[in-house]
Amino acid sequence: MSILLLVPPGWGGLWQSPLSVGGRKVYAHGVDPYDPAEIVYAVSFRPPPGLLKSLPNLKAVFSLGAGVDGFLLDPDFPKDKPLIRFVDETLSREMAQFAVLHVLMQHRTVAHFAAAQAESTWRQRMLPRPTEETRVGILGLGEIGTVCAERLRDMGFPVTGWSRTRKSVEGVKSYAGAGELDTFLAGCDFLVCVLPLTPDTRHILNTETFARLPKGAYVINIARGGHVNEPDLIAAIDYGHLSGATLDVFETEPLPETSPIWKHPKIIVTPHVAAITSPTAATRSILSGIATIERGEEPKNVVDMTRGY
Ligand code: NDP
Ligand code: OXD
């Protein structure tokens, strides 16, 4: 009963020894020779297309991330096997920290005070808008989006969320389904995207949806680059409809050196680090999932292949 790690070169070491407890064999693809027939579990974030299909005795696949779009892009992904995504309170907490940080950086006009300090100038100013009138909308009120919503709500922002099905999160107004998207967007001074990337959500942030946001709205994308039509975003900012954006994720990663996003004065770029999977937490979760499957029970957090998340 061996595990195959499909991770970028050099990353196998992070996972190999913690996962090999009890003498279990853990192979790093591209580094260790292995017999495909020996592999029962695979662990990855973005496996090479076609590889999982070539493992005849595969029982389940574990994602090292909350998002599983990297697996489902593979047309040969074995959809009859459970794909188990990573759901973890540390990951949700860090994502929420990132959302709070980037809302507050704009809300508290950090750039204004940094510029004043650079000129050794005492430049006091009021908040541009009171907190209780600064509306934050969370696109994707799931495991992570809910924690983002709760943290921002606790800071005094009026918070709303949009999801496929109606949610009940204390103090957070829930909008559900495509029919309520426009109303939701119209009430977002800040929009935080935490959706999974699926055929339904690809390029959900485009010229049309940006136009639904109030003038001056700020967009924070911590989900997947494929949610944002990047040229449309730049145009909406340059046109003056949006005040700016924070992007942690991009259509192409790493963000190409030639991308205009790098140097855009109203876009903050971070390199897909809103939250990084903790090897300790992920190992615990994978080993517990394996133990559940070996007992013949259904593991938690199995991806619904029809929804794609
Ligand atoms: P969940 O599956 O728990 O939540 C997804 C939410 O999106 C749910 O509320 C779901 O609605 C909603 N949703 C999905 N499709 C639609 C749709 N078509 N219309 C409306 N709502 C929809 O995911 P997580 O919160 O665990 O993770 C979200 C994403 O965050 C991941 O997929 C990943 O891409 C990203 N991520 C990014 C990280 C980073 O470092 N930048 C780190 C971790 C995650 P419903 O509940 O009603 O089904
Ligand atoms: C994830 C990620 O999906 O890190 O967990 O992007």
Side-chain angles (χ1 to χ4, degrees), residues 45 64-69 86 91 144 222-224 249 272 275-277:
F45 184 63
L64 289 173
V68 292
D69 46 293
F86 182 52
L91 192 77
I144 295 170
I222 51 177
R224 286 291 182 267
V249 284
H272 200 144
I276 293 181
T277 296

Side-chain angles (χ1 to χ4, degrees), residues 141-288:
L141 206 50
E143 294 285 347
I144 295 170
T146 299
V147 181
C148 296
E150 290 170 341
R151 295 294 174 275
L152 287 154
R153 172 205 65 195
D154 292 348
M155 308 200 93
F157 294 101
V159 180
T160 55
W162 182 72
S163 42
R164 206 175 39 82
T165 56
R166 185 95 45 217
K167 303 292 175 192
S168 168
V169 180
E170 199 187 328
V172 176
K173 184 165 170 49
S174 158
Y175 292 87
E180 296 184 8
L181 180 60
D182 286 357
T183 316
F184 162 76
L185 292 172
C188 298
D189 299 309
F190 283 92
L191 179 68
V192 181
C193 177
V194 218
L195 285 166
L197 185 62
T198 67
D200 287 340
T201 65
R202 175 168 289 281
H203 285 179
I204 189 166
L205 297 176
N206 57 44
T207 298
E208 207 177 301
T209 43
F210 293 139
R212 305 280 173 214
L213 292 167
K215 185 165 163 51
Y218 189 91
V219 171
I220 298 171
N221 185 21
I222 51 177
R224 286 291 182 267
H227 289 121
V228 174
N229 180 315
E230 292 172 354
D232 285 5
L233 175 72
I234 293 174
I237 296 173
D238 290 348
Y239 184 69
H241 183 64
L242 299 180
S243 59
T246 293
L247 303 178
D248 181 56
V249 284
F250 303 89
E251 192 95 67
T252 304
E253 293 184 6
L255 182 62
E257 214 180 310
T258 51
S259 169
I261 291 176
W262 278 117
K263 298 221 157 53
H264 197 290
K266 293 187 175 165
I267 302 181
I268 296 175
V269 171
T270 54
H272 200 144
V273 290
I276 293 181
T277 296
S278 139
T280 313
T283 300
R284 200 183 314 119
S285 149
I286 293 165
L287 293 177
S288 140

